[in-house]
Amino acid sequence: MNKLHTTRSWEFLGLNPLCGNNQGPVTSSAPDVIGGVIDGGSWPESESFSDTGSGAVPIKFKGECVAGENFTSDNCNRKVIGARFYFKGFEAGNGPLEDIGGSFFRSARDSGGHGSHTSSTIAGAIVPNV
């Protein structure tokens, strides 16, 4: 079992942010690139996941948007193009999620913030003053 351990991805990875403190425009993008994240889910209502200005979903995308607890197919858009959730392996090794304590969703919805942090670092929209 790995514990989630960073909220400072740029420093953790030894990178400089593309736009210091997200104050400037991104100068390039790759609309045909699909980024995949295996983490604690995402909070699709976050401004980081707004699809305003996003192009069409790449034709080569073969995934799906799987509904679950507090997460419907409407939570996917042209930014969050697919979502899945996996818990059976965790439960096989640790017992039912309900017995672990803490908050969780049986869906791709993030309950702790780490998944939203990492996925928005990879492909999130620039949000002013964040």
Side-chain angles (χ1 to χ4, degrees):
M1 170 87 59
N2 291 321
K3 297 228 181 249
L4 307 175
H5 65 278
T6 183
T7 59
R8 294 170 180 81
S9 295
W10 294 111
E11 293 86 0
F12 179 77
L13 296 172
L15 301 172
N16 292 320
L18 189 59
C19 302
N21 298 321
N22 285 339
Q23 298 304 310
V26 174
T27 57
S28 66
S29 63
D32 60 339
V33 172
I34 299 170
V37 179
I38 299 175
D39 206 309
S42 69
W43 196 262
E45 295 83 6
S46 168
E47 288 182 72
S48 294
F49 304 119
S50 168
D51 65 356
T52 301
S54 295
V57 173
I59 294 170
K60 64 184 176 182
F61 178 66
K62 303 296 183 218
E64 60 184 306
C65 186
V66 178
E69 183 181 2
N70 292 338
F71 194 98
T72 70
S73 60
D74 289 337
N75 290 125
C76 291
N77 58 24
R78 291 173 298 145
K79 175 67 77 172
V80 178
I81 62 176
R84 292 176 179 257
F85 58 101
Y86 304 92
F87 60 88
K88 291 180 182 176
F90 179 89
E91 287 186 326
N94 300 284
L97 290 171
E98 292 81 4
D99 294 349
I100 305 302
S103 64
F104 64 89
F105 297 100
R106 287 184 184 273
S107 71
R109 180 168 291 279
D110 188 6
S111 63
H114 191 273
S116 295
H117 167 75
T118 56
S119 57
S120 66
T121 298
I122 294 166
I126 292 178
V127 179
N129 301 315
V130 172

